[in-house]
Structures are given as structure tokens and as C-alpha cells.
Amino acid sequence: MKNAIFANRQEALQKLADVLMVRNLDFSQSVLLATSLNGAYFADELAKILKIPLEYLFTQTLCAPLNPECQIAIVSEELDIVMHENLIDTFGISLDYIYGEAKRQYEESIIPTRYQYRKGELLSSLRGQDVLIVDQGIDTGLTVMCAIKTCVNLNAKSIRVATPILPTSVYESLNEVCDEVLCVQSVEHFVNVEHYYKELQPLESKVIEEILDKHLSYKRKDTNDES
């Protein structure tokens, strides 16, 4: 039987916002970084609550050569790669395969998706920024680890992760590599993100495009105002 913690995205969002407000953190100089398309609505609403700009980091899953359901690594649009080293060693997968597949996924998936949702524009500079990485839930932690790696390589000033639900093991691992993890609940025997929502329907592509296009327009306006 499903042990839902949240009725829907709206309830999870409000509970996470409450966690952030209780911490009384200063987000005035922060940028919110979303890491999943289905989490775009969640990120958009949280950006409104915190009154900070929203950026989106495009990533792509790399799977085992003989098992398309087995996630072994993640590559970001900045070509940062995070690997599931235990699986790679177990299956005897070579680094040549990982790097070759990362390049292929970047060219065949990330670039076209970036053109679809961000009109081909590159990720904004994160140098000196306080970054808040947000998603509606975290499963394995590979994607957010890749996002953290990208933020570090882009010289972010600080990196926090905010999510309603994640495995306890991932919570502990993330706390070792970023400044802080903010969550509503971590779960010891984690199933998957969907398991903890009574309702969590995938977002339509049109809705995602509207959200990301809105924030792209904000960014272009701010750039023009500065110039």
C-alpha cells in the first residue's frame, strides 16, 4: 500500500517552503536551479515564493550498454559527469564507453532539448552566486550530484539542495558535498519519489515550455536593463 506523505505538488511545495522559512535563510542574492522537467512547476512556484530567478540545468541519463533501464551515470549540459561507480565496476563498463555515451547524449539529447526549452541559450553564469538546487524529490541522487559538480566547476559561491523527499543515504551523501540539504523528510527504506505523493502527474511539454520561456524572458529583460 502506498505510504503517501504529500497529497500533491502543492502540498509538498508548501511544506518545503515552511522548512525554508523556519531556517530564516537569506535568499535575496540566490538563484534557483531546477534539475528535472517534471519539477519545473515546483521550481517555478518556489522561485515566486523566494522572489529569486530560476535557471534550469539540462542533464541526461547514461544507461548500461545491455540494460537501458539501468542508470549508470548522468551528464550535464556543461559536460560534467557523475558515475555510479559500483554499478560500472560490477558490469565491467569501460570509461571509454561512459565518455563516448556522454558525448552522444549531449549532442543528440541535451542540445536539442536546450533549443526546445531555452532557445539554445547557454546556462547563465553561476560565478559568485548562492545556488539553491531544487526538485520535487530525489531518488538516487546522481542528478543532483551532477548539478552540484556543475555549480562547483562554474565557481558558485555556495550550494544548497532543497527537496521535499529523498532517501536518508542520499541526504547524508549530499551533506558531505554541498553547504546544506533542506528537506521535509528523508526516508530510510526509500521506494521512489512517486510513491510518496498521492498524485504526481507528469507535466505537459507545453506547460514546461511556458514556465522556462517566462524565466528566459525575465533573464533577457534583466540583461538589457543592466546594459
Side-chain angles (χ1 to χ4, degrees), residues 84-181:
H84 194 313
E85 295 182 0
N86 289 340
L87 283 180
I88 290 170
D89 291 342
T90 298
F91 295 138
I93 300 171
S94 70
L95 291 180
D96 285 344
Y97 171 83
I98 299 293
Y99 293 127
E101 185 66 5
K103 185 175 184 295
R104 184 181 72 83
Q105 291 288 359
Y106 174 77
E107 294 174 348
E108 296 181 7
S109 297
I110 291 179
I111 291 178
T113 305
R114 189 163 64 189
Y115 270 92
Q116 178 182 358
Y117 291 112
R118 205 198 290 143
K119 310 300 184 288
E121 291 197 15
L122 301 178
L123 182 68
S124 295
S125 173
L126 299 179
R127 178 180 292 276
Q129 297 274 2
D130 294 311
V131 180
L132 183 66
I133 301 172
V134 172
D135 207 340
Q136 62 191 8
I138 295 173
D139 283 309
T140 66
L142 276 184
T143 299
V144 70
M145 283 287 193
C146 190
I148 290 171
K149 186 174 183 179
T150 292
C151 290
V152 169
N153 289 339
L154 293 178
N155 299 301
K157 179 181 177 182
S158 69
I159 305 166
R160 288 187 173 92
V161 174
T163 188
I165 189 81
L166 78 169
T168 300
S169 59
V170 174
Y171 173 85
E172 293 170 350
S173 297
L174 291 176
N175 266 310
E176 294 178 359
V177 295
C178 71
D179 292 276
E180 189 173 13
V181 179

Side-chain angles (χ1 to χ4, degrees), residues 64-80:
L66 299 179
N67 187 349
E69 301 298 320
C70 181
Q71 182 185 85
I72 58 171
I74 296 285
V75 60
S76 79
E77 63 179 282
E78 295 292 316
L79 286 174
D80 295 305

Side-chain angles (χ1 to χ4, degrees), residues 14-53:
Q14 187 55 59
K15 288 185 176 180
L16 181 59
D18 290 343
V19 170
L20 300 183
M21 297 308 172
V22 167
R23 292 283 288 104
N24 198 29
L25 297 168
D26 181 10
F27 292 106
S28 60
Q29 301 301 316
S30 298
V31 58
L32 191 150
L33 188 68
T35 57
S36 77
L37 291 175
N38 274 325
Y41 166 83
F42 194 95
D44 178 46
E45 292 298 312
L46 191 57
K48 290 178 188 175
I49 292 171
L50 298 178
K51 297 181 174 59
I52 60 176

Side-chain angles (χ1 to χ4, degrees), residues 178-194:
C178 71
D179 292 276
E180 189 173 13
V181 179
L182 303 156
C183 70
V184 176
Q185 187 168 334
S186 65
V187 179
E188 188 72 34
H189 303 291
F190 195 83
V191 181
N192 56 47
V193 171
E194 291 77 11

Side-chain angles (χ1 to χ4, degrees), residues 52-71:
I52 60 176
L54 169 67
E55 285 285 342
Y56 187 88
L57 178 69
F58 293 103
T59 62
Q60 187 64 35
T61 298
L62 310 182
C63 296
L66 299 179
N67 187 349
E69 301 298 320
C70 181
Q71 182 185 85

